[in-house]
mmCIF file of all heavy atoms in Angstrom:
data_model
loop_
_atom_site.group_PDB
_atom_site.id
_atom_site.type_symbol
_atom_site.label_atom_id
_atom_site.label_comp_id
_atom_site.label_asym_id
_atom_site.label_seq_id
_atom_site.Cartn_x
_atom_site.Cartn_y
_atom_site.Cartn_z
ATOM 1 N N LEU A 44 17.233 -10.579 19.894
ATOM 2 C CA LEU A 44 17.728 -9.804 21.033
ATOM 3 C C LEU A 44 16.642 -9.628 22.084
ATOM 4 O O LEU A 44 16.881 -9.814 23.288
ATOM 5 C CB LEU A 44 18.226 -8.437 20.553
ATOM 6 C CG LEU A 44 18.633 -7.433 21.639
ATOM 7 C CD1 LEU A 44 19.816 -7.985 22.448
ATOM 8 C CD2 LEU A 44 18.973 -6.082 21.015
ATOM 9 N N ALA A 45 15.444 -9.271 21.646
ATOM 10 C CA ALA A 45 14.339 -9.054 22.580
ATOM 11 C C ALA A 45 13.980 -10.334 23.316
ATOM 12 O O ALA A 45 13.716 -10.313 24.531
ATOM 13 C CB ALA A 45 13.125 -8.515 21.828
ATOM 14 N N ALA A 46 13.976 -11.468 22.606
ATOM 15 C CA ALA A 46 13.640 -12.742 23.245
ATOM 16 C C ALA A 46 14.680 -13.110 24.296
ATOM 17 O O ALA A 46 14.341 -13.577 25.397
ATOM 18 C CB ALA A 46 13.535 -13.839 22.192
ATOM 19 N N GLY A 47 15.965 -12.902 23.971
ATOM 20 C CA GLY A 47 17.019 -13.193 24.941
ATOM 21 C C GLY A 47 16.933 -12.313 26.168
ATOM 22 O O GLY A 47 17.054 -12.792 27.307
ATOM 23 N N LEU A 48 16.687 -11.015 25.964
ATOM 24 C CA LEU A 48 16.539 -10.107 27.105
ATOM 25 C C LEU A 48 15.313 -10.460 27.938
ATOM 26 O O LEU A 48 15.347 -10.370 29.176
ATOM 27 C CB LEU A 48 16.431 -8.660 26.595
ATOM 28 C CG LEU A 48 17.694 -8.064 25.967
ATOM 29 C CD1 LEU A 48 17.388 -6.678 25.393
ATOM 30 C CD2 LEU A 48 18.818 -7.985 27.010
ATOM 31 N N ALA A 49 14.242 -10.867 27.268
ATOM 32 C CA ALA A 49 13.029 -11.220 27.994
ATOM 33 C C ALA A 49 13.257 -12.461 28.867
ATOM 34 O O ALA A 49 12.784 -12.530 30.013
ATOM 35 C CB ALA A 49 11.888 -11.465 26.997
ATOM 36 N N TRP A 50 13.982 -13.438 28.338
ATOM 37 C CA TRP A 50 14.277 -14.633 29.134
ATOM 38 C C TRP A 50 15.124 -14.283 30.353
ATOM 39 O O TRP A 50 14.878 -14.789 31.461
ATOM 40 C CB TRP A 50 14.996 -15.656 28.267
ATOM 41 C CG TRP A 50 15.409 -16.904 29.029
ATOM 42 C CD1 TRP A 50 16.624 -17.173 29.565
ATOM 43 C CD2 TRP A 50 14.570 -18.011 29.341
ATOM 44 N NE1 TRP A 50 16.610 -18.383 30.197
ATOM 45 C CE2 TRP A 50 15.357 -18.941 30.080
ATOM 46 C CE3 TRP A 50 13.248 -18.330 29.068
ATOM 47 C CZ2 TRP A 50 14.854 -20.138 30.539
ATOM 48 C CZ3 TRP A 50 12.740 -19.539 29.520
ATOM 49 C CH2 TRP A 50 13.536 -20.428 30.261
ATOM 50 N N PHE A 51 16.091 -13.412 30.150
ATOM 51 C CA PHE A 51 16.919 -12.980 31.275
ATOM 52 C C PHE A 51 16.078 -12.245 32.328
ATOM 53 O O PHE A 51 16.190 -12.507 33.535
ATOM 54 C CB PHE A 51 18.041 -12.069 30.769
ATOM 55 C CG PHE A 51 18.900 -11.493 31.855
ATOM 56 C CD1 PHE A 51 19.890 -12.263 32.466
ATOM 57 C CD2 PHE A 51 18.719 -10.191 32.290
ATOM 58 C CE1 PHE A 51 20.682 -11.742 33.484
ATOM 59 C CE2 PHE A 51 19.508 -9.670 33.306
ATOM 60 C CZ PHE A 51 20.481 -10.439 33.908
ATOM 61 N N ALA A 52 15.227 -11.338 31.883
ATOM 62 C CA ALA A 52 14.385 -10.588 32.821
ATOM 63 C C ALA A 52 13.398 -11.504 33.527
ATOM 64 O O ALA A 52 13.068 -11.281 34.708
ATOM 65 C CB ALA A 52 13.641 -9.487 32.072
ATOM 66 N N ALA A 53 12.936 -12.551 32.828
ATOM 67 C CA ALA A 53 11.949 -13.458 33.435
ATOM 68 C C ALA A 53 12.512 -14.169 34.659
ATOM 69 O O ALA A 53 11.765 -14.483 35.601
ATOM 70 C CB ALA A 53 11.495 -14.477 32.388
ATOM 71 N N GLN A 54 13.823 -14.429 34.663
ATOM 72 C CA GLN A 54 14.434 -15.113 35.801
ATOM 73 C C GLN A 54 14.458 -14.226 37.056
ATOM 74 O O GLN A 54 14.594 -14.729 38.181
ATOM 75 C CB GLN A 54 15.881 -15.521 35.473
ATOM 76 C CG GLN A 54 16.089 -16.143 34.101
ATOM 77 C CD GLN A 54 15.369 -17.471 33.956
ATOM 78 O OE1 GLN A 54 15.362 -18.292 34.856
ATOM 79 N NE2 GLN A 54 14.751 -17.680 32.796
ATOM 80 N N LEU A 55 14.357 -12.932 36.867
ATOM 81 C CA LEU A 55 14.443 -11.994 37.973
ATOM 82 C C LEU A 55 13.088 -11.685 38.598
ATOM 83 O O LEU A 55 13.036 -10.977 39.612
ATOM 84 C CB LEU A 55 15.086 -10.678 37.494
ATOM 85 C CG LEU A 55 16.449 -10.813 36.807
ATOM 86 C CD1 LEU A 55 16.934 -9.441 36.341
ATOM 87 C CD2 LEU A 55 17.469 -11.473 37.726
ATOM 88 N N MET A 56 12.035 -12.199 38.005
ATOM 89 C CA MET A 56 10.698 -11.915 38.514
ATOM 90 C C MET A 56 10.463 -12.677 39.818
ATOM 91 O O MET A 56 11.030 -13.756 40.030
ATOM 92 C CB MET A 56 9.653 -12.302 37.475
ATOM 93 C CG MET A 56 9.770 -11.532 36.172
ATOM 94 S SD MET A 56 9.443 -9.766 36.337
ATOM 95 C CE MET A 56 7.669 -9.805 36.581
ATOM 96 N N PRO A 57 9.603 -12.159 40.710
ATOM 97 C CA PRO A 57 9.318 -12.861 41.966
ATOM 98 C C PRO A 57 8.453 -14.090 41.748
ATOM 99 O O PRO A 57 7.839 -14.258 40.703
ATOM 100 C CB PRO A 57 8.579 -11.797 42.786
ATOM 101 C CG PRO A 57 7.935 -10.916 41.757
ATOM 102 C CD PRO A 57 8.887 -10.863 40.605
ATOM 103 N N GLU A 58 8.405 -14.936 42.769
ATOM 104 C CA GLU A 58 7.513 -16.094 42.730
ATOM 105 C C GLU A 58 6.065 -15.610 42.838
ATOM 106 O O GLU A 58 5.791 -14.605 43.492
ATOM 107 C CB GLU A 58 7.833 -17.028 43.920
ATOM 108 C CG GLU A 58 9.206 -17.661 43.858
ATOM 109 C CD GLU A 58 9.291 -18.774 42.842
ATOM 110 O OE1 GLU A 58 8.211 -19.203 42.356
ATOM 111 O OE2 GLU A 58 10.397 -19.194 42.503
ATOM 112 N N PRO A 59 5.113 -16.286 42.231
ATOM 113 C CA PRO A 59 5.253 -17.484 41.396
ATOM 114 C C PRO A 59 5.502 -17.168 39.922
ATOM 115 O O PRO A 59 5.530 -18.063 39.092
ATOM 116 C CB PRO A 59 3.894 -18.162 41.570
ATOM 117 C CG PRO A 59 2.946 -17.010 41.672
ATOM 118 C CD PRO A 59 3.689 -15.937 42.437
ATOM 119 N N ILE A 60 5.682 -15.871 39.599
ATOM 120 C CA ILE A 60 5.818 -15.479 38.187
ATOM 121 C C ILE A 60 7.061 -16.085 37.566
ATOM 122 O O ILE A 60 7.053 -16.530 36.407
ATOM 123 C CB ILE A 60 5.842 -13.939 38.081
ATOM 124 C CG1 ILE A 60 4.527 -13.356 38.618
ATOM 125 C CG2 ILE A 60 6.077 -13.499 36.643
ATOM 126 C CD1 ILE A 60 4.493 -11.840 38.615
ATOM 127 N N SER A 61 8.149 -16.175 38.340
ATOM 128 C CA SER A 61 9.411 -16.684 37.784
ATOM 129 C C SER A 61 9.355 -18.168 37.444
ATOM 130 O O SER A 61 10.265 -18.666 36.787
ATOM 131 C CB SER A 61 10.541 -16.428 38.781
ATOM 132 O OG SER A 61 10.298 -17.111 40.000
ATOM 133 N N GLN A 62 8.315 -18.867 37.884
ATOM 134 C CA GLN A 62 8.198 -20.298 37.561
ATOM 135 C C GLN A 62 7.812 -20.542 36.106
ATOM 136 O O GLN A 62 7.875 -21.672 35.621
ATOM 137 C CB GLN A 62 7.158 -20.950 38.480
ATOM 138 C CG GLN A 62 7.534 -20.937 39.950
ATOM 139 C CD GLN A 62 6.455 -21.557 40.821
ATOM 140 O OE1 GLN A 62 5.569 -22.263 40.337
ATOM 141 N NE2 GLN A 62 6.543 -21.301 42.126
ATOM 142 N N TYR A 63 7.384 -19.499 35.416
ATOM 143 C CA TYR A 63 6.946 -19.657 34.017
ATOM 144 C C TYR A 63 7.708 -18.660 33.124
ATOM 145 O O TYR A 63 7.109 -17.795 32.476
ATOM 146 C CB TYR A 63 5.445 -19.406 33.903
ATOM 147 C CG TYR A 63 4.617 -20.298 34.792
ATOM 148 C CD1 TYR A 63 4.262 -19.901 36.088
ATOM 149 C CD2 TYR A 63 4.200 -21.554 34.359
ATOM 150 C CE1 TYR A 63 3.502 -20.720 36.913
ATOM 151 C CE2 TYR A 63 3.442 -22.381 35.172
ATOM 152 C CZ TYR A 63 3.105 -21.960 36.450
ATOM 153 O OH TYR A 63 2.352 -22.783 37.263
ATOM 154 N N PRO A 64 9.035 -18.782 33.070
ATOM 155 C CA PRO A 64 9.835 -17.787 32.339
ATOM 156 C C PRO A 64 9.658 -17.827 30.820
ATOM 157 O O PRO A 64 9.941 -16.850 30.128
ATOM 158 C CB PRO A 64 11.267 -18.140 32.721
ATOM 159 C CG PRO A 64 11.224 -19.606 33.022
ATOM 160 C CD PRO A 64 9.889 -19.836 33.657
ATOM 161 N N TYR A 65 9.186 -18.961 30.295
ATOM 162 C CA TYR A 65 9.112 -19.112 28.842
ATOM 163 C C TYR A 65 8.057 -18.214 28.208
ATOM 164 O O TYR A 65 8.065 -18.001 26.996
ATOM 165 C CB TYR A 65 8.827 -20.577 28.464
ATOM 166 C CG TYR A 65 7.891 -21.295 29.396
ATOM 167 C CD1 TYR A 65 6.519 -21.189 29.259
ATOM 168 C CD2 TYR A 65 8.391 -22.089 30.432
ATOM 169 C CE1 TYR A 65 5.663 -21.850 30.124
ATOM 170 C CE2 TYR A 65 7.556 -22.749 31.297
ATOM 171 C CZ TYR A 65 6.181 -22.627 31.149
ATOM 172 O OH TYR A 65 5.338 -23.284 32.010
ATOM 173 N N TYR A 66 7.147 -17.659 28.995
ATOM 174 C CA TYR A 66 6.143 -16.769 28.403
ATOM 175 C C TYR A 66 6.706 -15.381 28.092
ATOM 176 O O TYR A 66 6.139 -14.644 27.290
ATOM 177 C CB TYR A 66 4.918 -16.651 29.319
ATOM 178 C CG TYR A 66 4.079 -17.904 29.334
ATOM 179 C CD1 TYR A 66 3.862 -18.608 30.513
ATOM 180 C CD2 TYR A 66 3.506 -18.385 28.162
ATOM 181 C CE1 TYR A 66 3.096 -19.772 30.524
ATOM 182 C CE2 TYR A 66 2.749 -19.539 28.156
ATOM 183 C CZ TYR A 66 2.547 -20.229 29.335
ATOM 184 O OH TYR A 66 1.800 -21.378 29.336
ATOM 185 N N ALA A 67 7.802 -15.013 28.735
ATOM 186 C CA ALA A 67 8.399 -13.703 28.447
ATOM 187 C C ALA A 67 8.962 -13.628 27.020
ATOM 188 O O ALA A 67 8.671 -12.669 26.285
ATOM 189 C CB ALA A 67 9.475 -13.384 29.475
ATOM 190 N N PRO A 68 9.767 -14.611 26.574
ATOM 191 C CA PRO A 68 10.197 -14.575 25.159
ATOM 192 C C PRO A 68 9.024 -14.637 24.191
ATOM 193 O O PRO A 68 9.081 -14.034 23.111
ATOM 194 C CB PRO A 68 11.088 -15.824 25.033
ATOM 195 C CG PRO A 68 11.544 -16.099 26.416
ATOM 196 C CD PRO A 68 10.418 -15.706 27.313
ATOM 197 N N LEU A 69 7.964 -15.368 24.581
ATOM 198 C CA LEU A 69 6.782 -15.406 23.721
ATOM 199 C C LEU A 69 6.171 -14.007 23.599
ATOM 200 O O LEU A 69 5.771 -13.596 22.506
ATOM 201 C CB LEU A 69 5.753 -16.386 24.282
ATOM 202 C CG LEU A 69 4.431 -16.501 23.498
ATOM 203 C CD1 LEU A 69 4.683 -16.981 22.073
ATOM 204 C CD2 LEU A 69 3.468 -17.444 24.222
#
Side-chain angles (χ1 to χ4, degrees):
L44 173 62
L48 291 175
W50 177 263
F51 176 78
Q54 316 295 318
L55 306 178
M56 299 295 288
E58 295 285 348
I60 299 177
S61 61
Q62 296 178 16
Y63 303 91
Y65 37 84
Y66 288 120
L69 178 60

